[in-house]
Amino acid sequence: MFKNVRKEEITIPAQMSYLVQIRDFVENIGRKHKFSDKVVNSFKLVIDEACTNLIRHGYRDIKNGEITIIAIIRRSSLTIIIIDQGQSYDPRRANTPDLAKYIDIGKKGGLGILMMRKLMDDLQYTVTDRGNEFRLTKFRDTTDESKIMKQWRSFSMRVKYSLVASFIFTTLSAIIFTGLFLNIDRDIQKDIFTIAASSCRSLADNAIDGLQNEENNVDLFINSLSVKQNQNRIISEAFITNADKKIEARDNPGRSDSLGVYKIPENAVLIDSIQGVLIHAYTLDDTIGIFDLSAEIHQTLSGEGALLGYAHVWVEKQIIIDICYDKKLQLSIFMAVILIIGYLLTFFLINRIIMPFQNL
């Protein structure tokens, strides 16, 4: 969470001869983390003034005093904390000096507070268990950042981490749902073909008696209609032919061509075979895409004996497209609900996690 925050520290005796170490420390920080000379020089002046006052006044009656300098480096700012155990004095409470009066009376010195306020962007003074803490903050010089980066930096920690977490959640969800979307057409077509092939095989088995005994011919129509009605959503036609390809029964006997001769078109393409049921694809009347599932009908259920005829089940391509569309729509709605719930939970969790750090 704080990977963009760095911290460095130095402690020196509260003596004037050691101030050069503080100046070098600040200069190294600035060079190492690429702060401008303006920022570095401002800190050197202010810290030198503050530490000089500590040595002369805060530690005036205290021997072996120490001054600790802590540098907190952020992407957009540098904060220097000066810690001492001398007499407390909040420089922020000092009145701003009247420069005109100083000039009139020729007074020298006493302008350290004014310099601090002018050179720093923020001053904070607190007394803690560690001692007196004087916190100085200055932001980096403005750079030619893009509007997006400026907007990003203006966001609070809660907003930033909520956006990052939401982006990760959205990306993962998109990857998962994209995989599901890509497989929908294949999976649904496979399921429909399996159901249609089972219906075709059932129609073939039930047609054996009807093709061998003309008295049971009515059963062929009943079986064809039953197959169509049982799978009305996916099966558009169901019919039975004899060995000479003449249609013996159809689910819709009222059609003008219901009892004609049916042959699979020469331009039909064999695309699959399920449980001995062949699946051909072709276009009917140059407009309707048809998947024709056909099974041979023999004298016995085991497939032995003379060929009696064929059972056919049609599945229109448009039916598969419509079912796939409905499934994708359901999946899209489900994904939208998941994303909304995920965003709300993400914001709630980020808020719970960030709140203690912000309070700290």
Side-chain angles (χ1 to χ4, degrees):
M1 180 177 294
F2 299 107
K3 63 180 181 180
N4 293 322
V5 179
R6 302 288 185 270
K7 180 180 176 181
E8 298 190 26
E9 182 176 329
I10 184 176
T11 299
I12 64 165
Q15 299 176 23
M16 299 295 290
S17 59
Y18 287 93
L19 292 182
V20 65
Q21 293 186 19
I22 296 179
R23 290 191 288 270
D24 291 341
F25 173 75
V26 173
E27 190 167 343
N28 290 334
I29 291 291
R31 186 184 307 111
K32 180 179 178 181
H33 297 282
K34 296 181 174 56
F35 284 91
S36 67
D37 291 341
K38 178 182 177 181
V39 172
V40 173
N41 291 333
S42 296
F43 270 111
K44 288 168 68 175
L45 284 172
V46 171
I47 293 173
D48 192 87
E49 173 70 17
C51 291
T52 298
N53 289 335
L54 283 177
I55 295 170
R56 289 177 176 174
H57 306 290
Y59 282 119
R60 181 173 55 186
D61 300 323
I62 301 174
K63 294 182 178 180
N64 301 323
E66 290 183 335
I67 299 174
T68 298
I69 306 294
I70 299 176
I72 299 176
I73 304 98
R74 296 183 177 86
R75 182 180 297 174
S76 59
S77 66
L78 173 60
T79 298
I80 300 292
I81 305 174
I82 303 173
I83 302 175
D84 71 276
Q85 290 77 39
Q87 296 181 8
S88 300
Y89 174 73
D90 187 349
R92 299 175 304 165
R93 295 181 179 178
N95 295 326
T96 301
D98 187 342
L99 294 181
K101 184 176 181 180
Y102 270 44
I103 294 173
D104 290 340
I105 64 177
K107 183 177 179 180
K108 298 180 181 180
L111 298 178
I113 301 301
L114 177 63
M115 178 180 65
M116 294 178 187
R117 292 173 178 171
K118 292 293 184 182
L119 295 180
M120 294 291 105
D121 294 320
D122 185 58
L123 302 175
Q124 298 292 331
Y125 186 87
T126 56
V127 178
T128 68
D129 294 338
R130 296 188 299 181
N132 309 309
E133 296 189 9
F134 188 28
R135 183 182 294 258
L136 313 166
T137 298
K138 190 167 183 64
F139 295 99
R140 288 184 186 272
D141 295 334
T142 57
T143 57
D144 296 330
E145 288 185 322
S146 65
K147 291 182 178 180
I148 295 177
M149 286 303 300
K150 289 181 179 179
Q151 183 66 39
W152 175 258
R153 294 190 190 282
S154 67
F155 290 149
S156 65
M157 185 182 297
R158 180 187 292 105
V159 173
K160 284 182 178 179
Y161 283 97
S162 294
L163 289 175
V164 171
S166 297
F167 174 77
I168 295 174
F169 178 71
T170 302
T171 301
L172 293 176
S173 299
I175 293 173
I176 294 173
F177 281 96
T178 297
L180 295 176
F181 266 90
L182 293 176
N183 294 327
I184 281 179
D185 294 343
R186 182 194 64 191
D187 293 342
I188 288 181
Q189 179 170 291
K190 182 179 178 181
D191 291 342
I192 290 177
F193 283 167
T194 300
I195 294 172
S198 177
S199 298
C200 185
R201 173 54 60 191
S202 176
L203 180 60
D205 292 342
N206 293 328
I208 295 176
D209 291 340
L211 289 175
Q212 293 186 105
N213 187 351
E214 292 184 0
E215 293 181 0
N216 294 331
N217 188 262
V218 176
D219 291 342
L220 297 178
F221 287 94
I222 295 175
N223 292 334
S224 299
L225 181 59
S226 176
V227 166
K228 169 67 182 299
Q229 290 178 339
N230 288 339
Q231 299 296 338
N232 187 55
R233 176 67 196 270
I234 64 175
I235 294 177
S236 59
E237 295 280 351
F239 56 93
I240 300 169
T241 71
N242 59 23
D244 296 326
K245 307 296 180 64
K246 182 180 183 299
I247 298 175
E248 296 288 342
R250 199 162 201 158
D251 64 89
N252 184 10
R255 289 179 48 155
S256 59
D257 61 343
S258 62
L259 300 180
V261 175
Y262 172 77
K263 292 182 180 181
I264 296 177
E266 294 182 357
N267 63 346
V269 178
L270 179 64
I271 63 171
D272 202 354
S273 175
I274 301 176
Q275 300 174 356
V277 177
L278 303 181
I279 305 176
H280 290 85
Y282 64 90
T283 302
L284 183 65
D285 299 329
D286 296 327
T287 57
I288 303 175
I290 293 294
F291 294 107
D292 186 333
L293 289 80
S294 60
E296 293 182 349
I297 304 173
H298 290 268
Q299 290 178 317
T300 63
L301 293 176
S302 62
E304 298 177 354
L307 177 65
L308 300 178
Y310 301 88
H312 288 269
V313 167
W314 283 1
V315 176
E316 292 184 12
K317 185 177 181 180
Q318 188 60 45
I319 291 176
I320 298 179
I321 293 174
D322 291 343
I323 294 176
C324 290
Y325 174 81
D326 291 343
K327 185 66 175 181
K328 290 177 180 177
L329 181 60
Q330 293 174 5
L331 189 60
S332 298
I333 295 174
F334 178 72
M335 179 179 179
V337 173
I338 291 296
L339 286 175
I340 292 173
I341 295 174
Y343 293 150
L344 294 176
L345 289 176
T346 297
F347 183 80
F348 174 76
L349 292 175
I350 291 295
N351 187 59
R352 292 293 298 271
I353 295 172
I354 292 294
M355 188 177 295
F357 291 100
Q358 289 184 323
N359 293 335
L360 179 63

